[in-house]
Amino acid sequence: MLRYRGVKQALDAVSRLDAFPKVKEEVVQPTRVGGTLSLISRLVIVFLIYHEVTYYLDSRLVFTFVPDTDLQSKLKVHIDLTVAMPCKSIGADILDSTNQNVFSFGILQEEDTWFELCPSQRVHFDYMQHHNSYLRNEYHSIAEILYKSDHAVVYSMPERVIIPEKPHDACRIHGVLTLNKVAGNFHITVGKTIHFSRGHIHLNSIFANTQTNFSHRINRFSFGDHTAGIIHPLEGDEKLFDNGQVMMQYFIEVVPTDVQKFYSHSKTYQYTVRENLQLIDIDKGMQGVAGIYFKYDMSALRVLVCQDRDSIAHFIVRLSSIIAGIVVISGMLSKCMHLIGDACCKRRYNDEPIAQNNDRTATVKGAVIVS
């Protein structure tokens, strides 16, 4: 019993230290102004809390640049393009600054086909071309949406439905190569190649009388694994040439990119490209070998794309500030409106007795006393 009394006294001592004012319910008088402000303030609090939670869950992207020190990893390139010449007349190979044999990178498959697309393929390619062009033009305004989405854009050409009755006039070159992270040159020229331990030679002299046409269509040309947010500029590109003696050059700079999300981490590559078209005219002194050249080089910087959001402590502080601020502001408004109301009522109360005395005087003066 004594122990209970001691605990009760201790609790009473703690309650007397309470610094927050307590108002008894029997002395609280509800008013319409106070009820209206209470309802409005609570609706505002719910609205602001909803937007604050939405803002906290919707992360933002942070882009940083760091030196690329991962020099031992390999570079994977996906190639799928169609050249308007039969496969027997052209050859595709690749050579980098290490002079390694092309067969150490992988094998590209050559498939005879027709350059003209059937209606279903043309619709698909036109859509791919329009879609990729739109993404490239609007990339800076929709970059966050692309990175936050989990959908990686991969174009796959449908199978041909209508088979032409003419011989094959084009060659589809497709496959995946695993390259070194050094500068290199992937090219498609007339004739086949013979590879040596430190290079290769082109056997294009025996194809001197072959009619050339390096019009081409790029269905797929990308580096690394497909990742959401990465746009490949060359996909959906189509070049048509009337002159067969052309040298089409693509200068590509490959940029390593790390995409770090809350639940995943992927390493991929993005690239920028510049084009150069050169007509070969020996009479005018323009030398070169006609063909399609993809000259790529690695960037010395790596791009880090990270999702970031405020800490949970920061989030709780913001919520507390919102609730406390709305409560304090609503209390101040309630007091101001009550003061204004009391002032108006007091002024009206002071004016009413004067009006009543004037009426009484007028009544007495106009009265008739009968005795």
Side-chain angles (χ1 to χ4, degrees), residues 299-321:
S299 174
L301 295 179
R302 176 183 295 270
V303 178
L304 300 180
V305 184
C306 304
Q307 280 186 299
D308 188 23
R309 65 171 51 151
D310 297 333
S311 63
I312 186 66
H314 193 189
F315 172 66
I316 294 175
V317 169
R318 290 174 65 93
L319 287 181
S320 303
S321 302

PDB file of all heavy atoms in Angstrom, residues 299-321:
ATOM      1  N   SER A 299      34.740   6.082 -73.840  1.00  0.00           N
ATOM      2  CA  SER A 299      34.860   7.313 -73.067  1.00  0.00           C
ATOM      3  C   SER A 299      35.646   7.043 -71.788  1.00  0.00           C
ATOM      4  O   SER A 299      35.577   5.945 -71.211  1.00  0.00           O
ATOM      5  CB  SER A 299      33.478   7.865 -72.728  1.00  0.00           C
ATOM      6  OG  SER A 299      33.570   8.971 -71.867  1.00  0.00           O
ATOM      7  N   ALA A 300      36.389   8.043 -71.349  1.00  0.00           N
ATOM      8  CA  ALA A 300      37.175   7.899 -70.120  1.00  0.00           C
ATOM      9  C   ALA A 300      36.331   8.108 -68.870  1.00  0.00           C
ATOM     10  O   ALA A 300      36.793   7.835 -67.762  1.00  0.00           O
ATOM     11  CB  ALA A 300      38.331   8.893 -70.117  1.00  0.00           C
ATOM     12  N   LEU A 301      35.101   8.562 -69.017  1.00  0.00           N
ATOM     13  CA  LEU A 301      34.219   8.818 -67.875  1.00  0.00           C
ATOM     14  C   LEU A 301      33.094   7.802 -67.854  1.00  0.00           C
ATOM     15  O   LEU A 301      32.632   7.329 -68.891  1.00  0.00           O
ATOM     16  CB  LEU A 301      33.642  10.238 -67.942  1.00  0.00           C
ATOM     17  CG  LEU A 301      34.639  11.380 -67.814  1.00  0.00           C
ATOM     18  CD1 LEU A 301      33.919  12.715 -67.932  1.00  0.00           C
ATOM     19  CD2 LEU A 301      35.390  11.306 -66.488  1.00  0.00           C
ATOM     20  N   ARG A 302      32.662   7.498 -66.672  1.00  0.00           N
ATOM     21  CA  ARG A 302      31.534   6.606 -66.450  1.00  0.00           C
ATOM     22  C   ARG A 302      30.383   7.405 -65.850  1.00  0.00           C
ATOM     23  O   ARG A 302      30.598   8.249 -64.972  1.00  0.00           O
ATOM     24  CB  ARG A 302      31.932   5.470 -65.505  1.00  0.00           C
ATOM     25  CG  ARG A 302      30.791   4.528 -65.124  1.00  0.00           C
ATOM     26  CD  ARG A 302      31.274   3.493 -64.119  1.00  0.00           C
ATOM     27  NE  ARG A 302      32.275   2.635 -64.724  1.00  0.00           N
ATOM     28  CZ  ARG A 302      31.981   1.506 -65.373  1.00  0.00           C
ATOM     29  NH1 ARG A 302      30.718   1.131 -65.497  1.00  0.00           N
ATOM     30  NH2 ARG A 302      32.937   0.777 -65.886  1.00  0.00           N
ATOM     31  N   VAL A 303      29.169   7.138 -66.310  1.00  0.00           N
ATOM     32  CA  VAL A 303      27.976   7.818 -65.818  1.00  0.00           C
ATOM     33  C   VAL A 303      27.309   6.937 -64.761  1.00  0.00           C
ATOM     34  O   VAL A 303      27.053   5.751 -65.008  1.00  0.00           O
ATOM     35  CB  VAL A 303      26.988   8.123 -66.952  1.00  0.00           C
ATOM     36  CG1 VAL A 303      25.734   8.798 -66.410  1.00  0.00           C
ATOM     37  CG2 VAL A 303      27.647   9.009 -68.002  1.00  0.00           C
ATOM     38  N   LEU A 304      27.037   7.530 -63.595  1.00  0.00           N
ATOM     39  CA  LEU A 304      26.327   6.844 -62.525  1.00  0.00           C
ATOM     40  C   LEU A 304      24.939   7.450 -62.409  1.00  0.00           C
ATOM     41  O   LEU A 304      24.792   8.654 -62.165  1.00  0.00           O
ATOM     42  CB  LEU A 304      27.063   6.964 -61.193  1.00  0.00           C
ATOM     43  CG  LEU A 304      28.477   6.383 -61.124  1.00  0.00           C
ATOM     44  CD1 LEU A 304      29.064   6.587 -59.740  1.00  0.00           C
ATOM     45  CD2 LEU A 304      28.466   4.903 -61.481  1.00  0.00           C
ATOM     46  N   VAL A 305      23.922   6.617 -62.583  1.00  0.00           N
ATOM     47  CA  VAL A 305      22.527   7.041 -62.452  1.00  0.00           C
ATOM     48  C   VAL A 305      21.967   6.375 -61.204  1.00  0.00           C
ATOM     49  O   VAL A 305      21.831   5.145 -61.158  1.00  0.00           O
ATOM     50  CB  VAL A 305      21.707   6.661 -63.698  1.00  0.00           C
ATOM     51  CG1 VAL A 305      20.280   7.194 -63.573  1.00  0.00           C
ATOM     52  CG2 VAL A 305      22.368   7.196 -64.956  1.00  0.00           C
ATOM     53  N   CYS A 306      21.668   7.178 -60.186  1.00  0.00           N
ATOM     54  CA  CYS A 306      21.226   6.649 -58.899  1.00  0.00           C
ATOM     55  C   CYS A 306      19.863   7.224 -58.537  1.00  0.00           C
ATOM     56  O   CYS A 306      19.585   8.398 -58.785  1.00  0.00           O
ATOM     57  CB  CYS A 306      22.224   6.978 -57.783  1.00  0.00           C
ATOM     58  SG  CYS A 306      23.908   6.409 -58.104  1.00  0.00           S
ATOM     59  N   GLN A 307      19.026   6.383 -57.939  1.00  0.00           N
ATOM     60  CA  GLN A 307      17.774   6.844 -57.366  1.00  0.00           C
ATOM     61  C   GLN A 307      18.021   7.306 -55.939  1.00  0.00           C
ATOM     62  O   GLN A 307      18.701   6.628 -55.166  1.00  0.00           O
ATOM     63  CB  GLN A 307      16.725   5.727 -57.379  1.00  0.00           C
ATOM     64  CG  GLN A 307      16.045   5.540 -58.717  1.00  0.00           C
ATOM     65  CD  GLN A 307      14.928   4.535 -58.639  1.00  0.00           C
ATOM     66  OE1 GLN A 307      15.148   3.377 -58.315  1.00  0.00           O
ATOM     67  NE2 GLN A 307      13.721   4.960 -58.948  1.00  0.00           N
ATOM     68  N   ASP A 308      17.467   8.444 -55.595  1.00  0.00           N
ATOM     69  CA  ASP A 308      17.705   9.019 -54.282  1.00  0.00           C
ATOM     70  C   ASP A 308      16.401   9.574 -53.740  1.00  0.00           C
ATOM     71  O   ASP A 308      15.541  10.039 -54.499  1.00  0.00           O
ATOM     72  CB  ASP A 308      18.754  10.131 -54.366  1.00  0.00           C
ATOM     73  CG  ASP A 308      19.175  10.613 -52.986  1.00  0.00           C
ATOM     74  OD1 ASP A 308      19.011   9.835 -52.031  1.00  0.00           O
ATOM     75  OD2 ASP A 308      19.646  11.751 -52.876  1.00  0.00           O
ATOM     76  N   ARG A 309      16.258   9.515 -52.414  1.00  0.00           N
ATOM     77  CA  ARG A 309      15.106  10.100 -51.740  1.00  0.00           C
ATOM     78  C   ARG A 309      15.522  10.536 -50.328  1.00  0.00           C
ATOM     79  O   ARG A 309      16.592  10.145 -49.844  1.00  0.00           O
ATOM     80  CB  ARG A 309      13.949   9.111 -51.669  1.00  0.00           C
ATOM     81  CG  ARG A 309      14.230   7.892 -50.826  1.00  0.00           C
ATOM     82  CD  ARG A 309      12.997   7.037 -50.586  1.00  0.00           C
ATOM     83  NE  ARG A 309      12.288   6.712 -51.794  1.00  0.00           N
ATOM     84  CZ  ARG A 309      11.566   5.610 -51.950  1.00  0.00           C
ATOM     85  NH1 ARG A 309      11.505   4.722 -50.971  1.00  0.00           N
ATOM     86  NH2 ARG A 309      10.929   5.380 -53.072  1.00  0.00           N
ATOM     87  N   ASP A 310      14.689  11.354 -49.696  1.00  0.00           N
ATOM     88  CA  ASP A 310      14.992  11.840 -48.358  1.00  0.00           C
ATOM     89  C   ASP A 310      14.978  10.692 -47.356  1.00  0.00           C
ATOM     90  O   ASP A 310      14.320   9.662 -47.550  1.00  0.00           O
ATOM     91  CB  ASP A 310      13.978  12.908 -47.938  1.00  0.00           C
ATOM     92  CG  ASP A 310      14.044  14.130 -48.841  1.00  0.00           C
ATOM     93  OD1 ASP A 310      15.120  14.376 -49.396  1.00  0.00           O
ATOM     94  OD2 ASP A 310      13.016  14.820 -48.989  1.00  0.00           O
ATOM     95  N   SER A 311      15.684  10.894 -46.234  1.00  0.00           N
ATOM     96  CA  SER A 311      15.705   9.884 -45.181  1.00  0.00           C
ATOM     97  C   SER A 311      14.356   9.845 -44.462  1.00  0.00           C
ATOM     98  O   SER A 311      13.553  10.775 -44.538  1.00  0.00           O
ATOM     99  CB  SER A 311      16.828  10.178 -44.188  1.00  0.00           C
ATOM    100  OG  SER A 311      16.601  11.422 -43.552  1.00  0.00           O
ATOM    101  N   ILE A 312      14.126   8.763 -43.721  1.00  0.00           N
ATOM    102  CA  ILE A 312      12.863   8.614 -43.005  1.00  0.00           C
ATOM    103  C   ILE A 312      12.741   9.653 -41.899  1.00  0.00           C
ATOM    104  O   ILE A 312      11.638  10.147 -41.601  1.00  0.00           O
ATOM    105  CB  ILE A 312      12.752   7.177 -42.436  1.00  0.00           C
ATOM    106  CG1 ILE A 312      11.380   6.946 -41.824  1.00  0.00           C
ATOM    107  CG2 ILE A 312      13.871   6.905 -41.443  1.00  0.00           C
ATOM    108  CD1 ILE A 312      10.259   6.972 -42.824  1.00  0.00           C
ATOM    109  N   ALA A 313      13.885  10.045 -41.292  1.00  0.00           N
ATOM    110  CA  ALA A 313      13.840  11.087 -40.261  1.00  0.00           C
ATOM    111  C   ALA A 313      13.430  12.428 -40.858  1.00  0.00           C
ATOM    112  O   ALA A 313      12.612  13.161 -40.274  1.00  0.00           O
ATOM    113  CB  ALA A 313      15.205  11.196 -39.584  1.00  0.00           C
ATOM    114  N   HIS A 314      13.982  12.742 -42.012  1.00  0.00           N
ATOM    115  CA  HIS A 314      13.599  13.978 -42.711  1.00  0.00           C
ATOM    116  C   HIS A 314      12.119  13.951 -43.086  1.00  0.00           C
ATOM    117  O   HIS A 314      11.415  14.964 -42.977  1.00  0.00           O
ATOM    118  CB  HIS A 314      14.462  14.147 -43.953  1.00  0.00           C
ATOM    119  CG  HIS A 314      14.371  15.513 -44.549  1.00  0.00           C
ATOM    120  ND1 HIS A 314      14.934  15.822 -45.770  1.00  0.00           N
ATOM    121  CD2 HIS A 314      13.777  16.650 -44.118  1.00  0.00           C
ATOM    122  CE1 HIS A 314      14.683  17.088 -46.053  1.00  0.00           C
ATOM    123  NE2 HIS A 314      13.981  17.608 -45.072  1.00  0.00           N
ATOM    124  N   PHE A 315      11.651  12.797 -43.505  1.00  0.00           N
ATOM    125  CA  PHE A 315      10.240  12.661 -43.872  1.00  0.00           C
ATOM    126  C   PHE A 315       9.336  12.881 -42.662  1.00  0.00           C
ATOM    127  O   PHE A 315       8.312  13.582 -42.749  1.00  0.00           O
ATOM    128  CB  PHE A 315      10.018  11.266 -44.462  1.00  0.00           C
ATOM    129  CG  PHE A 315       8.586  10.913 -44.709  1.00  0.00           C
ATOM    130  CD1 PHE A 315       7.843  11.582 -45.661  1.00  0.00           C
ATOM    131  CD2 PHE A 315       7.980   9.906 -43.974  1.00  0.00           C
ATOM    132  CE1 PHE A 315       6.512  11.253 -45.887  1.00  0.00           C
ATOM    133  CE2 PHE A 315       6.657   9.572 -44.196  1.00  0.00           C
ATOM    134  CZ  PHE A 315       5.927  10.245 -45.151  1.00  0.00           C
ATOM    135  N   ILE A 316       9.694  12.325 -41.501  1.00  0.00           N
ATOM    136  CA  ILE A 316       8.878  12.501 -40.296  1.00  0.00           C
ATOM    137  C   ILE A 316       8.892  13.954 -39.847  1.00  0.00           C
ATOM    138  O   ILE A 316       7.868  14.506 -39.412  1.00  0.00           O
ATOM    139  CB  ILE A 316       9.392  11.559 -39.187  1.00  0.00           C
ATOM    140  CG1 ILE A 316       9.162  10.104 -39.597  1.00  0.00           C
ATOM    141  CG2 ILE A 316       8.706  11.855 -37.857  1.00  0.00           C
ATOM    142  CD1 ILE A 316       9.738   9.097 -38.636  1.00  0.00           C
ATOM    143  N   VAL A 317      10.043  14.601 -39.940  1.00  0.00           N
ATOM    144  CA  VAL A 317      10.131  16.014 -39.548  1.00  0.00           C
ATOM    145  C   VAL A 317       9.242  16.876 -40.442  1.00  0.00           C
ATOM    146  O   VAL A 317       8.549  17.788 -39.963  1.00  0.00           O
ATOM    147  CB  VAL A 317      11.601  16.486 -39.601  1.00  0.00           C
ATOM    148  CG1 VAL A 317      11.690  17.996 -39.459  1.00  0.00           C
ATOM    149  CG2 VAL A 317      12.404  15.813 -38.499  1.00  0.00           C
ATOM    150  N   ARG A 318       9.224  16.588 -41.730  1.00  0.00           N
ATOM    151  CA  ARG A 318       8.378  17.356 -42.643  1.00  0.00           C
ATOM    152  C   ARG A 318       6.902  17.146 -42.339  1.00  0.00           C
ATOM    153  O   ARG A 318       6.108  18.099 -42.340  1.00  0.00           O
ATOM    154  CB  ARG A 318       8.685  16.967 -44.097  1.00  0.00           C
ATOM    155  CG  ARG A 318      10.040  17.433 -44.592  1.00  0.00           C
ATOM    156  CD  ARG A 318      10.329  16.879 -45.981  1.00  0.00           C
ATOM    157  NE  ARG A 318       9.400  17.405 -46.963  1.00  0.00           N
ATOM    158  CZ  ARG A 318       9.623  18.483 -47.699  1.00  0.00           C
ATOM    159  NH1 ARG A 318      10.767  19.149 -47.553  1.00  0.00           N
ATOM    160  NH2 ARG A 318       8.749  18.895 -48.576  1.00  0.00           N
ATOM    161  N   LEU A 319       6.508  15.899 -42.038  1.00  0.00           N
ATOM    162  CA  LEU A 319       5.117  15.651 -41.675  1.00  0.00           C
ATOM    163  C   LEU A 319       4.738  16.375 -40.387  1.00  0.00           C
ATOM    164  O   LEU A 319       3.655  16.971 -40.285  1.00  0.00           O
ATOM    165  CB  LEU A 319       4.876  14.149 -41.520  1.00  0.00           C
ATOM    166  CG  LEU A 319       4.830  13.300 -42.787  1.00  0.00           C
ATOM    167  CD1 LEU A 319       4.547  11.849 -42.441  1.00  0.00           C
ATOM    168  CD2 LEU A 319       3.766  13.822 -43.740  1.00  0.00           C
ATOM    169  N   SER A 320       5.623  16.327 -39.397  1.00  0.00           N
ATOM    170  CA  SER A 320       5.342  17.012 -38.133  1.00  0.00           C
ATOM    171  C   SER A 320       5.233  18.514 -38.346  1.00  0.00           C
ATOM    172  O   SER A 320       4.367  19.180 -37.749  1.00  0.00           O
ATOM    173  CB  SER A 320       6.442  16.693 -37.114  1.00  0.00           C
ATOM    174  OG  SER A 320       6.560  15.297 -36.917  1.00  0.00           O
ATOM    175  N   SER A 321       6.080  19.062 -39.182  1.00  0.00           N
ATOM    176  CA  SER A 321       6.028  20.502 -39.445  1.00  0.00           C
ATOM    177  C   SER A 321       4.717  20.885 -40.134  1.00  0.00           C
ATOM    178  O   SER A 321       4.119  21.926 -39.826  1.00  0.00           O
ATOM    179  CB  SER A 321       7.218  20.909 -40.323  1.00  0.00           C
ATOM    180  OG  SER A 321       8.441  20.572 -39.705  1.00  0.00           O
TER     181      SER A 321
END
